[in-house]
Amino acid sequence: MSVPSHDAPCAPFASLSFARIVTATVVFAALAGSFVTPAPALAKTPPPKAVLDASAVAVPDRYSADAAQQIFAAGGNAVDAAVAIAFTLAVTCPDAGNIGGGGFMTVFMDGKPYFLDYRERAPQQATRDMYLDDKGNLVPGMSLVGHRAVAVPGTVEGMWEAQQRFGKLKWKQVLAPAIRYATDGFKVEPWLQQRHDAAAKNFAGKTNFDAYFSNLKAGVMVRQPELAQTLSRIASDGGPEFYEGRTADLIAQQMYGHGLVTKQDLIQYKAVWRQPLAADWNGYKVVTAPPPSSGGIGLIQMLKMKADLKQAFDGLELNSAPYIHLIAQIEDRVFADRQQYIGDPDSYKVPVDKLTDDAYLAQRADEVKPDEVPGATPVKGGLGDALPEKAQTTHFSVVDKWGNAVSNTYTLNGSFGSGVVVDGGGFVLNDAMDDFVTKPSVASPSGATADDLNTVAPGRRPLSSMTPTILLKDNKVSLVIGTPGGSRILTSIFQVMTNLYDFNMSPTDALTAMRFHHQLLPPKTIYFEPYHPITGELADQLKAKGYTLEGQSFNGDVQMIRVEGATPEPSADPRGVGVGRVMP
Ligand code: DON
């Protein structure tokens, strides 16, 4: 950030990159030629009719809200706005917004749901034991900080795919706000300085983080000239520039001799359109993230098991000790299944249908008992022992006036990722490799538990908890929701959804209410947030039941939009500095 521009000599890569760009140009010219050939007159499709009286966003900062507003004013749709938001956050929220990470986008467009997986992938040279020393012990921090923590980034390819497929505006237009913030600067707020200071301690002496980001101080206008250049190249040459052009050369050069990501890994990276998960619940269709996220399966399991346990929940006060106890037992089962059956769907045939099957979930719900002593009965995956056949994150929600929606969660994994900045590129790279099981049977801090399904393998996508979700009612968007928070993502979304629909709370109350988290491991532990600690009588009651209470160091940051009438209602989590904005 405002550091002298580094000249990045990249001779070994330049000729390949040039060849790629030339090839692309030739293909483009051929295609362009076909556009000028007179074509038979086609019936003109009428422009889509607005079904809402405004568009809306719920985003983690005000700059990205402004970017979205410009895009809507220029006639863009929800995907255009989402892509502009994603690139803007890469500039203004560099702890989590990114071009050096990856994520998931759930889209509802012209009446149909889609899911785009642009999750990072392990580089080809990655091996199962790459984080272990000679004695088989985990090398502390190696999967979290520095070059070897970096997986092949997917964000730019994801944004390119989504915008090319569904966007209305020109690619350059949607990058313009981000380029402006990188060039002209943005004002750092105290929360960003705090996140910077915490991360800088971790990275000190280990990465080049401070050379770029030491000026993230509250009140300072920060310009990022190298990032501006990178974004401008991507704007001019398209998403492939990141994977094949000068930016790819800069990444490969940064990795060379230290990390495993090569230019070949970048060239091979592809985002994948997958079938979104869909389940009926409470009169809604829940459209959510399939594997390699565990979040969608877990969310559906929680919602359905809670509905199956209606009698047990009847009359229980929200977030009372007996309520938390029942939810914790549901969560034990969700996280047991997560550990045992969910991994990269390109490596394993994940039994998605079985895990979300009504009869299966009713049987699992039947195991939940109000008077069970926590941890008394060991909980395992519910489908038996058979292995499947081989075969600081941020979220934003967008709805446009045509009734389209985007729910997008993307991440660097940890705050500021690996702390490695691409010299000459001006952006941080992720530490998504830590979402793999770095040592079988050792739980990762962000994942829940550990299993062979999620060990490091070349090209594999690490298991994720990101759960960008859209609820439909009569095939119209009714709720767009998501949050950061690692394995707390699905349990947070579940709680806000049940607050809204089971307890009929207003969006503000649903977001403000206390949230807690429990997962199978560590056993008998209920986590609480800094925003709303569990203390006093409730704490005593939970302890008396046999639970240990533990504070988390961070809050979630749910961004959601409810659509019930003609005007969408966006709400940003009061835990963060997000903005809900309606744009008539
Ligand atoms: O993909 C995942 O589940 C994690 N990398 C997400 C990390 C995260 O949400 C951190 N944010 N607080």
Side-chain angles (χ1 to χ4, degrees), residues 12 43 67 70 125 134 140 156 199 212 257 271 365 423 458 471 486-487 517 523 582:
Q70 290 158 27
Q125 291 174 41
D134 296 349
V156 175
Y212 277 83
D423 274 327
L471 260 66
S487 56
H517 176 78
V582 179

Side-chain angles (χ1 to χ4, degrees), residues 104 119 338 392-394 411-414 432 435 446 462-466 483-487 489 554-555:
F104 300 133
R119 177 77 162 151
R338 177 197 204 264
Q392 192 90 21
T393 310
T394 188
T411 188
L412 289 162
N413 189 35
D435 276 339
S446 60
L463 188 61
S464 173
S465 299
M466 292 183 287
T483 181
S487 56
I489 291 174
F554 62 93
N555 294 305

Side-chain angles (χ1 to χ4, degrees), residues 182-206:
T183 309
D184 298 346
F186 75 99
K187 193 162 162 198
V188 176
E189 288 174 21
W191 65 267
L192 184 54
Q193 177 178 349
Q194 277 160 21
R195 284 183 202 174
H196 163 272
D197 293 352
K201 277 192 208 126
N202 277 341
F203 301 143
K206 297 181 188 145

Side-chain angles (χ1 to χ4, degrees), residues 28-173:
F28 180 75
L31 282 174
S34 73
F35 292 146
V36 291
T37 314
L42 293 173
K44 229 181 167 186
T45 350
K49 260 193 155 153
V51 295
L52 299 173
D53 58 20
S55 302
V57 297
V59 288
D61 82 351
R62 65 189 165 96
Y63 299 108
S64 54
D66 291 347
Q69 191 148 5
Q70 290 158 27
I71 295 300
F72 283 132
N77 64 15
V79 168
D80 292 311
V83 174
I85 291 166
F87 279 111
T88 298
L89 291 172
V91 178
T92 61
C93 290
D95 60 311
N98 68 81
I99 57 174
F104 300 133
M105 184 185 280
T106 305
V107 179
F108 188 71
M109 179 62 65
D110 298 330
K112 292 197 197 85
Y114 301 86
F115 181 83
L116 182 59
D117 167 1
Y118 58 95
R119 177 77 162 151
E120 301 93 327
R121 298 180 70 185
Q124 286 303 318
Q125 291 174 41
T127 58
R128 179 187 158 103
D129 292 339
M130 63 183 277
Y131 296 110
L132 304 183
D133 65 16
D134 296 349
K135 297 196 178 73
N137 296 321
L138 201 59
V139 181
M142 202 205 270
S143 60
L144 284 163
V145 174
H147 291 73
R148 286 174 79 87
V150 179
V152 186
T155 294
V156 175
E157 160 79 355
M159 294 307 130
W160 172 249
E161 262 296 321
Q163 212 272 336
Q164 294 303 292
R165 182 164 183 184
F166 291 125
K168 289 174 72 187
L169 300 185
K170 294 206 171 78
W171 172 248
K172 265 186 179 175
Q173 277 176 287

